[in-house]
Amino acid sequence: MRILGINALFHDPAAALVVDGRTVAAAEEERFSRRKHGKRPLPFSAWELPERSAHWCLEQAGLTPAGLDAVTYSFDPALARPARDMGLDDPWDPLRLEYARRAPEFLAEALPGLDPARVVFVPHHVAHAASAGPASPHPDSAVLVLDGRGESASHLAGRYRDGKLDTLATQALPDSLGLVYEELTAHLGFLRSSDEYKVMALASYGAPRHLARLREDVHPTGHGGFRAHGVDWAALAPPRAGDEPWTQDHADLAASAQAVLEEVLLELVHWLHREAGGDALTMAGGVALNCVANSAIAARGPYRHVWVQPAAGDAGTALGGALHVAAQEITPEPMPGADLGRGWSDDELRAWLEQAAVPYEEPDDIAETVAAELARDGVVAWFQGRSEYGPRALGHRSLLAHPGRAENLERLNHVKGREEFRPVAPMVLADRAAELFSRGPVPSPYMLFVHDVAPEWRERIPAVVHVDGTARIQTVEERREPLVARMLRGFERRTGLPVVVNTSLNTAGRPMVDDPRDALECFGSAPVDLLAIGPYAVRRGRAFG
């Protein structure tokens, strides 16, 4: 059974390929087009399809569109209601729905040879749910989906048993935790449907002094539902223009919104556990990218296991749609990891370097070369293996640095052109994580939870410690990532620190580096000391001296 999954309607267009229940490939269109998030979530862009990522997925398996059994589209227009009837201010939404209804025609044009009759509409939140439960190591699990909006709802709670979803609750629009957080993002001067993680980071600098007021408009209602709309943000803090500095009022408002979000999520999780039982919770939807809230669920919720889809945003619905249809015939395999995107052989990488006419070396072990450079306090661009699916750099497209220099946080934010309050993350071997970090799930391979940094380590690895004493860690298992593990061990031998700073290999406003050209362009334009691309090392002094 050969199924191509497509996400296209709102934002983060992506494609994924599932063959006989196994995830073969998944990639976001932004990595090919170099447009952040692929497109803006406007009705006028709803017709745009992830053509390049879809064709690449098919090439990975040697398939043509005519050889597909199904193509899934992660939105079902038959379930949609007019925006005005749902209390949404979106006068052009009928155009979006018309594009959705015509998706089979558009897909047949983009994928010549595809029979439009093979296009299957999968409800948006069902696609999110299938990217969590069946893709996780816990196929029999409770599942919680929360985002901005789907066809007519913003939430799904259910239970997977034997690969089949039993939906237990949904929340009708306009109530939406995701839309509330999006509104706050815009109010605070950031880009809506893009920069919500900046609000989460800013929240750590504030106090939740508006929590009581926010509870009036954002609160659980019982039976697995909630109210979340109608917040008068301007009454709580003045709006911020994007080029203005943030104030304590802005940080306090972010902290208040974060606190009320966590309260509602915890109530939803406890309700779901009472209804569905079990010891595993899987999560997807854009709200599930809020790693601070995820940690509250893991620490204070009733589940022993909490697993979050690494591509929890709309990109993940491409995979979820394909897995949902596959599950009608076969029990899908859990996703093998997040490294589901493009990769290149050593020979291909060498050809890129020679075409770019940059001097390079081939050391005996690139991991040891990088460990030595990091120990000297160099910044390293790390380009290895297949690129990641989702917004996190997980050791394949990363910027690495020494965690023991507090100034490296400011240094990396300068390299990337980011706001000064944004944290960077620690990468640590899974078998060492418990020595340094607590109050969070371990292993944590997808960087989707925050952990408390042990007091005795805070002064030793200050670059990765956020203002509230936490860190969003990535744990590395040696059997899964032997090259990264070897680099970490080499760095610890030289410095006594089992941690390396890991942040995404990109600059502000640009998608994560994906192909060798992107890596060379980023290396050439940013103050990075060494590019480790496959087994090869390119040094700034030699390349640009």
Side-chain angles (χ1 to χ4, degrees):
M1 185 107 177
R2 301 170 295 272
I3 306 169
L4 179 69
I6 296 290
N7 171 63
L9 194 67
F10 293 113
H11 51 83
D12 295 301
L17 183 66
V18 173
V19 177
D20 295 332
R22 182 174 62 88
T23 302
V24 173
E28 294 157 83
E29 189 72 3
E30 69 163 23
R31 310 295 169 84
F32 297 78
S33 69
R34 309 310 298 159
R35 294 166 60 196
K36 187 72 171 175
H37 295 295
K39 61 182 181 180
R40 293 300 298 148
L42 303 171
F44 308 100
S45 70
W47 64 271
E48 295 183 40
L49 296 170
E51 296 185 32
R52 280 171 277 194
S53 51
H55 282 288
W56 173 79
C57 285
L58 294 178
E59 290 169 6
Q60 283 296 105
L63 295 175
T64 65
L68 291 168
D69 296 294
V71 174
T72 64
Y73 187 84
S74 56
F75 185 92
D76 187 349
L79 301 177
R81 297 165 53 208
R84 64 180 178 276
D85 292 352
M86 297 187 292
L88 299 179
D89 182 16
D90 193 352
W92 287 100
D93 195 52
L95 178 64
R96 177 187 283 118
L97 296 182
E98 178 61 21
Y99 285 142
R101 282 188 285 267
R102 296 180 60 185
E105 304 165 42
F106 292 141
L107 285 163
E109 183 176 347
L111 301 169
L114 174 67
D115 180 354
R118 294 186 179 178
V119 176
V120 180
F121 291 116
V122 177
H124 187 70
H125 290 118
V126 171
H128 268 309
S131 79
S136 78
H138 312 287
D140 286 348
S141 64
V143 62
L144 183 66
V145 173
L146 291 140
D147 65 359
R149 62 166 292 192
E151 293 86 359
S152 59
S154 68
H155 151 260
L156 179 152
R159 174 70 192 258
Y160 272 100
R161 288 185 176 89
D162 300 322
K164 301 297 186 288
L165 173 65
D166 179 19
T167 298
L168 300 173
T170 62
Q171 177 58 57
L173 292 166
D175 293 295
S176 169
L177 293 170
L179 290 182
V180 163
Y181 217 87
E182 286 183 20
E183 291 168 3
L184 175 60
T185 299
H187 185 76
L188 293 178
F190 303 117
L191 184 60
R192 180 175 183 155
S193 296
S194 174
D195 292 347
E196 283 71 21
Y197 57 93
K198 296 181 183 181
V199 177
M200 181 184 69
L202 184 61
S204 297
Y205 290 83
R209 59 188 179 89
H210 302 295
L211 180 57
R213 172 64 186 83
L214 283 178
R215 285 173 176 152
E216 297 174 17
D217 295 315
V218 182
H219 56 260
T221 57
H223 308 292
F226 53 86
R227 174 192 165 93
H229 78 275
V231 179
D232 184 357
W233 300 109
L236 303 177
R240 184 186 78 93
D243 57 352
E244 293 178 344
W246 60 272
T247 67
Q248 192 59 50
D249 285 340
H250 297 129
D252 289 349
L253 185 55
S256 303
Q258 180 68 32
V260 78
L261 173 70
E262 292 173 24
E263 284 186 354
V264 176
L265 289 179
L266 279 166
E267 175 57 33
L268 295 178
V269 166
H270 281 284
W271 177 89
L272 180 56
H273 187 258
R274 289 193 297 271
E275 294 294 314
D279 67 352
L281 172 70
T282 59
M283 297 172 61
V287 175
L289 291 172
N290 190 305
C291 56
V292 177
N294 293 346
S295 295
I297 291 170
R300 293 149 51 196
Y303 289 97
R304 179 182 176 190
H305 305 287
V306 179
W307 188 91
V308 182
Q309 162 61 238
D314 273 8
T317 64
L319 175 60
L323 290 173
H324 174 72
V325 170
Q328 312 311 308
E329 303 289 338
I330 189 173
T331 300
E333 298 177 15
M335 63 186 290
D339 52 333
L340 297 168
R342 288 188 289 178
W344 283 263
S345 69
D346 294 351
D347 288 344
E348 289 171 325
L349 293 175
R350 185 173 61 251
W352 273 95
L353 295 172
E354 291 176 353
Q355 183 180 10
V358 294
Y360 66 91
E361 60 191 74
E362 185 175 0
D364 292 336
D365 186 348
I366 191 67
E368 288 293 334
T369 297
V370 167
E373 182 64 35
L374 293 172
R376 289 193 292 269
D377 203 25
V379 174
V380 175
W382 177 265
F383 183 103
Q384 304 291 336
R386 295 176 66 174
S387 60
E388 294 99 344
Y389 185 44
R392 306 284 190 245
L394 302 168
H396 291 248
R397 304 290 187 270
S398 295
L399 274 174
L400 308 177
H402 196 306
R405 312 266 196 269
E407 58 272 21
N408 276 346
L409 172 59
E410 182 179 354
R411 181 184 178 189
L412 285 171
N413 281 336
H414 173 70
V415 167
K416 291 167 65 73
R418 306 193 318 174
E419 295 85 357
E420 79 286 352
F421 62 82
R422 300 268 300 278
V424 291
M427 175 190 285
V428 60
L429 286 168
D431 60 7
R432 302 294 306 280
E435 301 173 34
L436 289 78
F437 308 103
S438 61
R439 198 186 61 89
V442 173
S444 182
Y446 298 134
M447 208 183 286
L448 285 165
F449 300 89
V450 296
H451 295 66
D452 289 330
V453 183
E456 64 270 24
W457 279 96
R458 292 179 185 178
E459 292 186 2
R460 298 187 64 185
I461 52 172
V464 298
V465 182
H466 197 33
V467 65
D468 58 2
T470 67
R472 187 185 68 203
I473 77 170
Q474 178 203 350
T475 60
V476 176
E477 294 188 16
E478 192 156 10
R479 64 172 183 79
R480 184 83 177 81
E481 298 285 356
L483 185 66
V484 177
R486 204 157 64 244
M487 179 271 295
L488 287 168
R489 295 197 190 282
F491 182 75
E492 183 176 13
R493 281 199 314 274
R494 291 168 171 85
T495 65
L497 301 177
V499 167
V500 164
V501 176
N502 174 27
T503 187
S504 57
L505 182 52
N506 67 326
T507 52
R510 300 292 304 279
M512 203 183 308
V513 159
D514 194 78
D515 72 12
R517 183 191 298 275
D518 305 333
L520 288 164
E521 288 179 351
C522 186
F523 179 66
S525 63
V528 175
D529 298 291
L530 185 143
L531 168 63
I533 180 166
Y536 309 111
V538 183
R539 299 184 183 276
R540 173 158 299 278
R542 296 177 188 173
F544 304 107

